[in-house]
């Protein structure tokens, strides 16, 4: 991390983001990711994406898909906490879609955190999920059954 910081400490990032700064953010973000500093790497890639850098957008998509695949795998195996962890990493890419919120809602439902699951399913509905209404109905039934126990 020190080597990356040393390299980029001599570059000034101004509030006005000119075209060249998107590439600096991109390379800095990729460097951090290579060094397993995911949080710092994602923040820089998001900055580059916001500055219309196509390569940063592609890198974020790959990162998003990697974590979504892991989240779905963990969800199907019943590892809800790990699933939520991967969903949170996917959220940091700022590439939201309804599947992200459906997976999050199902994991939260599996952990019996019904109110949070309901929020996730509502966000899935807001992002265009064709299944959100059905998931909300199933959640309501599951909550009633859980409360009876």
């Amino acid at each position: 991390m020190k080597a990356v910081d040393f390299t980029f400490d001599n570059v000034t990032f101004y509030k006005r983001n000119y075209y060249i700064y998107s590439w600096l953010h991109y390379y800095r973000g990729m460097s951090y990711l290579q060094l397993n500093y995911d949080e710092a790497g994602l923040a820089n890639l998001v900055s580059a994406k916001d500055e219309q850098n196509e390569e940063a957008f592609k890198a974020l998509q790959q990162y998003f898909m990697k974590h979504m695949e892991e989240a779905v795998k963990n969800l199907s195996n019943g590892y809800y906490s790990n699933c939520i962890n991967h969903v949170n990493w996917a959220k940091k890419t700022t590439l939201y879609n309804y599947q992200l919120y459906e997976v999050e809602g199902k994991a939260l439902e599996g952990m019996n955190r019904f109110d949070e699951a309901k929020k996730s399913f509502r966000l899935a509905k807001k992002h265009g999920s064709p299944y959100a209404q059905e998931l909300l109905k199933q959640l309501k039934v599951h909550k009633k059954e859980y409360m009876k126990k």
Side-chain angles (χ1 to χ4, degrees), residues 72-138:
V72 170
K73 190 185 325 177
N74 284 314
L75 179 65
S76 64
N77 291 330
Y79 302 128
Y80 302 122
S81 181
N82 289 342
C83 176
I84 295 295
N85 187 32
H86 285 289
V87 165
N88 287 334
W89 280 108
K91 281 182 180 179
K92 290 180 184 187
T93 64
T94 68
L95 303 175
Y96 309 115
N97 64 19
Y98 72 85
Q99 290 113 344
L100 174 79
Y101 293 110
E102 286 178 351
V103 169
E104 180 183 46
K106 289 176 184 178
L108 290 167
E109 181 180 0
M111 297 168 70
N112 298 323
R113 293 164 54 184
F114 300 111
D115 293 336
E116 294 174 60
K118 187 176 183 179
K119 288 178 186 175
S120 293
F121 290 143
R122 284 188 176 160
L123 284 169
K125 184 178 180 181
K126 181 180 174 182
H127 282 85
S129 172
Y131 312 109
Q133 199 62 40
E134 185 61 34
L135 290 170
L136 285 166
K137 288 178 186 176
Q138 291 173 4

